[in-house]
Amino acid sequence: MSGFVDVLVIVAVAVLVIARQFRTHAIDAERRWWLVPAVLAVMALRGPGIVDAHHRVESLGLLVAELAVGLATGAGWAWTTRIWRAPDGVVWSRSSKASAAVWAGGIALRAGLFGLGYALGVRQDSAALMLGLAATLLVRGAITTRRARLLTSSPAPAPTYGDGTPSAPGAPATRPAWKERV
């Protein structure tokens, strides 16, 4: 595939994933959360253009930095995502305003890396960006799925009123899901 097609794939995946995460949705901890990142990584690694042959050291340094930004963005996004279990046992999630800030920071860092590469004269392929996106999605999926599994393995919360006070005498008070802080 050409670089243009790679960019279209990157943009399409990012828009779909980000748009989905800012809507409330149920988490299925048993689904293959690693599949999209794996496909992106294979697409990124399939060609020889991921490292600039004329600037190997600089190119590899930028690639490592891109992967580090991707891993940090994925972890930050996962930990700023609100996750809660409904009384029926279904685990729900929704990205928060802090998640949007993490994404904005990740995009700014990636733009800075691209600018640095341009200043160094390094030819940068879209494969590095695709590999960074794969790292972001892989880490985010792993952490979010782990958090969801921890919620499903814990005992069901005691019934409470909307303000968090126990609805049954002697029942422990629990924090309502809408009051969860990230």
Side-chain angles (χ1 to χ4, degrees):
M1 272 191 273
S2 70
F4 179 71
V5 174
D6 285 351
V7 170
L8 287 178
V9 168
I10 292 167
V11 170
V13 168
V15 167
L16 289 172
V17 168
I18 293 169
R20 181 172 182 248
Q21 298 309 314
F22 283 95
R23 289 183 306 208
T24 303
H25 67 281
I27 296 178
D28 179 9
E30 301 306 317
R31 73 177 177 83
R32 295 185 183 126
W33 52 267
W34 48 266
L35 189 59
V36 171
V39 168
L40 287 174
V42 167
M43 287 178 64
L45 296 172
R46 78 187 184 293
I50 198 163
V51 176
D52 185 356
H54 302 293
H55 302 93
R56 286 196 184 278
V57 173
E58 296 88 348
S59 182
L60 284 172
L62 288 171
L63 180 61
V64 168
E66 173 68 33
L67 288 173
V69 167
L71 294 172
T73 301
W77 184 19
W79 287 109
T80 57
T81 298
R82 299 176 89 184
I83 297 178
W84 67 95
R85 186 170 73 175
D88 61 359
V90 176
V91 178
W92 295 87
S93 79
R94 181 179 183 157
S95 291
S96 64
K97 290 177 185 176
S99 302
V102 168
W103 264 99
I107 290 170
L109 287 171
R110 285 182 169 114
L113 288 173
F114 183 79
L116 177 63
Y118 182 78
L120 294 173
V122 177
R123 185 187 141 293
Q124 299 178 65
D125 196 347
S126 58
L129 182 61
M130 191 178 295
L131 197 57
L133 179 60
T136 298
L137 296 176
L138 185 67
V139 168
R140 189 225 180 252
I143 293 172
T144 304
T145 301
R146 175 153 169 72
R147 288 179 63 201
R149 285 184 179 149
L150 288 173
L151 274 179
T152 58
S153 66
S154 64
T160 62
Y161 293 111
D163 63 356
T165 58
S167 62
T174 60
R175 173 185 265 174
W178 59 269
K179 286 189 175 180
E180 176 187 4
R181 294 288 179 222
V182 188

